Amino acid sequence: MNNVLGVINLSINQPLLHELTYSRATATVPFGGRYRLIDFVLSNMVNSGINNVAVLAHNSYRSIIDHLGSGKEWDLDRKHRGLFILPPNNSHAPGFNGDLQNFYGSLEYFDRSNEEYVVVSSSHMICNINYTEAVENHQRTKADITVIYKEMEDDSGDFSNLITLDIAEDGRVVRMTENRLTNQSSKVYMRMIVIKKDLLIDLVKKSVNQNYYDLVRHVIIRNLNTLKVHAYEYKGYLAIINSVQNYYKYSKELLNPEVWKSLFYEPGLIYTKIKDEPPARYARSANVSNSQVANGCIIEGTVENSILFRGVRIGKGAVVRNSILMQKCVIEEDSTLDHVILDKEVYVTRGNMLAGEETSPTVFTKKSRI
């Protein structure tokens, strides 16, 4: 895959993540006890043999720079190729009009790259995919654009703002619908495409020169009748982190060992920024079941069906059920939490009771004191 350039497109955030993205980009939302959403797409590209990766940042990109650093954890800290974080460049047009604006502002980077093909992906569709087969399928079908999709059998999440595909028998995409409620297709576009670099550059220039700034609407959907747009099916596990409801649903699914294995180990390992922490410590009074507990946690109370990120402290007599507690949260003695999401460094004082619902968990913002 030395002939493939990876582009992680972070220009479109997920507004329905609400409190989880008030202080960070969607790509750096914590997930799975120690990971960030961007870890999955970046690991997938590296595991596919793509060693030249550009991150098109948009807003709140300080957290992206802090997390990715030089790319060492993904073996992308290289003298040649490697990881490039490209900040937004809107010098040619005021304000932000769409993600093509960031592609256009980074054209020099694309021009200087030697790769023939480009894999473009967002960060909120998390999965464990090897892009090699998708690129080979793209070459075999001689498509102009290959879009990657997943046939979603589980319809219990929030899929209202997804794009679905209608595909002809020969694999060609004949329609893409932005509002799934008006289309019964269960083929969900995963915001991933394969395209030749020269064609991408040409389409970006033409679109921006006509004041079209949206990659999906103006490069793909608008050209369905003039370009050969083919579909490639991904058959592995997919988590769509586009709302608080889905974030909670897919986080809880990680408590299933089969889901955990398929997302983090097959076909490749998922990497993240390394932080040295001591092992979790369990007091004699601790009672933990069906939960994930990261390094550095200190447990003296009860934890059930929950995910605890690094450095969480659960006091004696406290009960945490069906909840997600991010890094360095503190739950004092005799407090009770059920169906809640605590962002980083939330402090719950002694004897508090916090509760949400399975379909509507209560979220507390970073560094709240309750």
Side-chain angles (χ1 to χ4, degrees):
M1 296 281 275
N2 286 334
N3 205 23
V4 179
L5 171 68
V7 174
I8 302 177
N9 179 16
L10 305 185
S11 302
I12 306 299
N13 277 320
Q14 297 301 312
L16 296 181
L17 284 171
H18 298 298
E19 294 93 337
L20 298 179
T21 51
Y22 285 173
S23 61
R24 61 171 73 89
T26 298
T28 54
V29 169
F31 187 77
R34 67 185 63 185
Y35 299 86
R36 304 295 180 112
L37 297 188
I38 196 171
D39 292 337
F40 295 87
V41 59
L42 191 53
S43 298
N44 289 336
M45 288 184 173
V46 170
N47 291 335
S48 302
I50 300 173
N51 53 32
N52 190 5
V53 179
V55 178
L56 296 187
H58 178 47
N59 59 351
S60 303
Y61 57 86
R62 186 180 62 82
S63 61
I64 296 169
I65 295 173
D66 177 62
H67 181 67
L68 299 182
S70 64
K72 179 181 177 181
E73 279 79 2
W74 297 268
D75 194 25
L76 290 173
D77 55 335
R78 303 172 178 222
K79 291 183 178 179
H80 304 289
R81 299 182 168 179
L83 178 68
F84 298 86
I85 301 175
L86 305 179
N89 181 352
N90 60 357
S91 58
H92 59 285
F96 178 71
N97 301 293
D99 54 353
L100 286 186
Q101 195 166 338
N102 288 344
F103 279 85
Y104 191 83
S106 302
L107 283 179
E108 183 178 351
Y109 169 79
F110 288 97
D111 283 329
R112 293 169 57 182
S113 301
N114 296 321
E115 290 80 0
E116 183 178 4
Y117 296 94
V118 183
V119 170
V120 181
S121 176
S122 65
S123 65
H124 69 286
M125 298 271 191
I126 61 173
C127 62
N128 197 325
I129 182 174
N130 190 311
Y131 292 108
T132 304
E133 287 188 10
V135 173
E136 290 175 350
N137 181 78
H138 178 79
Q139 295 167 331
R140 185 169 56 252
T141 59
K142 301 186 187 306
D144 294 312
I145 302 173
T146 295
V147 298
I148 302 175
Y149 75 96
K150 165 76 176 173
E151 184 95 46
M152 296 298 290
E153 299 175 356
D154 177 7
D155 207 21
S156 61
D158 178 7
F159 300 146
S160 57
N161 59 351
L162 301 180
I163 296 173
T164 54
L165 309 179
D166 289 322
I167 304 170
E169 290 185 359
D170 63 354
R172 187 163 180 164
V173 178
V174 295
R175 186 169 68 157
M176 297 177 72
T177 307
E178 291 193 62
N179 186 352
R180 194 187 180 198
L181 298 179
T182 64
N183 186 0
Q184 296 304 309
S185 172
S186 58
K187 297 176 174 60
V188 174
Y189 169 49
M190 293 172 57
R191 296 275 181 174
M192 301 175 184
I193 66 170
V194 183
I195 186 173
K196 278 194 172 182
K197 185 186 72 174
D198 291 344
L199 177 59
L200 176 64
I201 292 173
D202 183 56
L203 291 171
V204 169
K205 288 180 177 177
K206 286 180 178 176
S207 297
V208 170
N209 288 336
Q210 298 175 54
N211 290 323
Y212 292 127
Y213 289 98
D214 192 283
L215 176 66
V216 176
R217 292 174 186 163
H218 302 141
V219 167
I220 305 177
I221 297 179
R222 184 165 168 259
N223 290 305
L224 279 180
N225 294 325
T226 55
L227 295 178
K228 191 177 177 182
V229 180
H230 269 245
Y232 173 81
E233 183 179 8
Y234 164 71
K235 297 183 178 180
Y237 178 81
L238 173 67
I240 304 171
I241 311 300
N242 61 343
S243 67
V244 170
Q245 178 189 347
N246 272 11
Y247 176 82
Y248 182 75
K249 164 187 159 63
Y250 288 114
S251 294
K252 292 286 296 296
E253 285 188 0
L254 297 179
L255 298 178
N256 180 334
E258 292 301 316
V259 170
W260 179 271
K261 182 180 177 182
S262 64
L263 184 57
F264 288 92
Y265 292 97
E266 297 173 348
L269 296 176
I270 303 300
Y271 304 97
T272 189
K273 181 179 179 180
I274 295 174
K275 293 183 180 178
D276 295 325
E277 297 270 4
R281 181 155 60 88
Y282 300 86
R284 290 184 180 276
S285 56
N287 182 11
V288 180
S289 61
N290 193 37
S291 298
Q292 292 175 8
V293 179
N295 293 354
C297 291
I298 300 175
I299 314 294
E300 297 179 285
T302 298
V303 180
E304 299 175 0
N305 305 319
S306 297
I307 296 174
L308 308 187
F309 285 66
R310 293 168 168 138
V312 171
R313 299 180 64 178
I314 308 295
K316 191 173 183 179
V319 178
V320 177
R321 294 190 178 98
N322 308 305
S323 297
I324 300 165
L325 278 55
M326 296 185 191
Q327 193 173 348
K328 294 183 179 179
C329 286
V330 177
I331 314 301
E332 284 195 337
E333 294 180 8
D334 301 323
S335 293
T336 301
L337 280 63
D338 195 5
H339 293 102
V340 301
I341 300 173
L342 305 187
D343 206 326
K344 293 171 63 174
E345 301 177 44
V346 172
Y347 196 103
V348 179
T349 54
R350 182 171 185 169
N352 257 301
M353 296 185 67
L354 309 176
E357 298 177 359
E358 182 70 28
T359 56
S360 182
T362 302
V363 183
F364 294 88
T365 56
K366 185 178 178 180
K367 294 186 177 180
S368 298
R369 185 178 177 89
I370 305 158

